[in-house]
Amino acid sequence: MPINHYLFLSLALFSIGVAGVLARRNALIVFMCIELMLNAVNLLLVAFSRMHNAAAVALDPASTVGAEAQILVFFIMVVAAAEVTVGLAIIVMMYRNIHSVDINFLNRLKH
Amino acid sequence: MNTSQMLFWFLTALSILSALMMVTSRNPVHSVLWLILVFFSISGHYILMNAQFLAVVNMIVYAGAIMVLFLFVIMLMNTKADAEPRHANRMRLAGTLAGGSLLLVLVAALRETELRGISLEGPEGDIGLVARLGSILFTEYVVPFELSSVLFLSAMVGAVIIGRKN
């Protein structure tokens, strides 16, 4: 497949995530949309890794060009897992205090 | 159209449709299930791009661990689907328009990119396999790898401190 198909696929997924963050009020769904955006970026990184690797392996079969991008995707997943635990703990605490997951109630933070 | 192209279009349609259903469905449990489907189709894309290790990690970490955590939190909250907070129609339209215009601008900017038409097909290396990625991770990137364990520890302590009852 040409690289621009993957480019447009991850752009579409990222934009769906942005639209979801802006259009929904449930904090859990906003959080899930952020996960979707992270995954769109991961998909694009893997596609670029494959693009560079295919070009390098054609010259040298033992080449490891492009492996850095996959390591980066691995670290993004690690950080996302840590982020989800803290974020869900914050949402649970918010639900315990205001009995709702509506992000519009969070404007109470300012007073 | 060969098999990998058919698989690509199938997985693309599946991921975009499930992402749309995830954003639009009213019940949060349905949203989680659609998001799991998105993650599975992205794992399929990873396999198509010869990144087997990441495909498996994506399935285990995202579709397995993180989404189960979401389901547990939703069960814990016991929210009703009809009491779901919703924006006014005007606000939802504005959000959708903003996302759509972002897509429009990015696609218009990248439509004529230099990368256009470079094919991902070609000779397949072994960088996606566990052995190769593991040896790179434990030699060149061992310091960030160890630091991420500190990050996990602090996230764990933070989650417990935030989540406990006072």
Side-chain angles (χ1 to χ4, degrees):
Chain A
M1 301 308 300
I3 181 77
N4 36 349
H5 285 45
Y6 279 103
L7 191 58
F8 293 142
L9 168 63
S10 55
L11 285 183
L13 288 178
F14 191 86
S15 307
I16 290 171
V18 171
V21 168
L22 294 176
R24 298 297 302 255
R25 264 171 59 185
N26 190 334
L28 277 166
I29 294 182
V30 170
F31 205 35
M32 281 190 250
C33 290
I34 294 173
E35 295 302 311
L36 180 67
M37 294 197 287
L38 278 173
N39 262 280
V41 173
N42 282 352
L43 181 65
L44 193 59
L45 277 171
V46 174
F48 281 134
S49 148
R50 173 78 191 118
M51 183 183 88
H52 284 291
N53 186 248
V57 165
L59 302 175
D60 171 23
S63 163
T64 59
V65 172
E68 290 85 2
Q70 301 205 2
I71 302 277
L72 179 58
V73 170
F74 178 72
F75 280 117
I76 290 176
M77 284 178 184
V78 166
V79 174
E83 170 232 336
V84 164
T85 52
V86 178
L88 282 179
I90 290 174
I91 290 177
V92 167
M93 189 193 65
M94 169 186 158
Y95 183 75
R96 201 183 284 149
N97 287 335
I98 63 179
H99 298 287
S100 162
V101 285
D102 188 347
I103 52 171
N104 275 17
F105 281 119
L106 283 185
N107 60 11
R108 289 177 188 180
L109 275 179
K110 66 188 174 194
H111 26 106
Chain B
M1 198 185 262
N2 58 25
T3 318
S4 73
Q5 279 175 329
M6 270 161 57
L7 274 174
F8 171 82
W9 288 114
F10 170 72
L11 289 170
T12 302
L14 185 68
S15 54
I16 289 180
L17 266 180
S18 337
L20 284 175
M21 290 300 292
M22 188 272 282
V23 173
T24 52
S25 64
R26 188 77 65 83
N27 191 337
V29 177
H30 293 172
S31 281
V32 171
L33 295 177
W34 284 115
L35 191 56
I36 290 177
L37 204 56
V38 176
F39 288 156
F40 271 108
S41 59
I42 288 180
S43 284
H45 277 298
Y46 288 167
I47 291 175
L48 276 185
M49 285 188 285
N50 214 20
Q52 294 91 344
F53 173 67
L54 286 180
V56 173
V57 169
N58 195 43
M59 248 183 256
I60 294 174
V61 173
Y62 268 111
I66 293 182
M67 287 296 113
V68 169
L69 211 59
F70 269 99
L71 276 180
F72 266 122
V73 169
I74 290 172
M75 268 164 46
L76 211 67
M77 289 180 181
N78 193 19
T79 51
K80 294 175 196 67
D82 49 342
E84 161 82 15
R86 296 181 78 190
H87 275 305
N89 278 331
R90 192 162 44 87
M91 286 301 291
R92 280 192 290 148
L93 184 69
T96 318
L97 271 182
S101 8
L102 176 70
L103 179 64
L104 194 71
V105 168
L106 287 174
V107 166
L110 295 170
R111 203 165 51 92
E112 296 292 328
T113 169
E114 281 175 38
L115 297 172
R116 186 161 46 106
I118 295 181
S119 177
L120 296 190
E121 278 151 31
E124 298 189 343
D126 58 352
I127 58 161
L129 299 178
V130 184
R132 188 52 76 86
L133 275 184
S135 71
I136 294 173
L137 195 62
F138 283 113
T139 52
E140 282 178 57
Y141 294 93
V142 67
V143 177
F145 182 75
E146 295 296 337
L147 280 180
S148 67
S149 66
V150 180
L151 176 72
F152 267 123
L153 186 66
S154 55
M156 221 158 66
V157 173
V160 170
I161 288 178
I162 292 171
R164 80 178 165 193
K165 285 204 171 84
N166 357 319

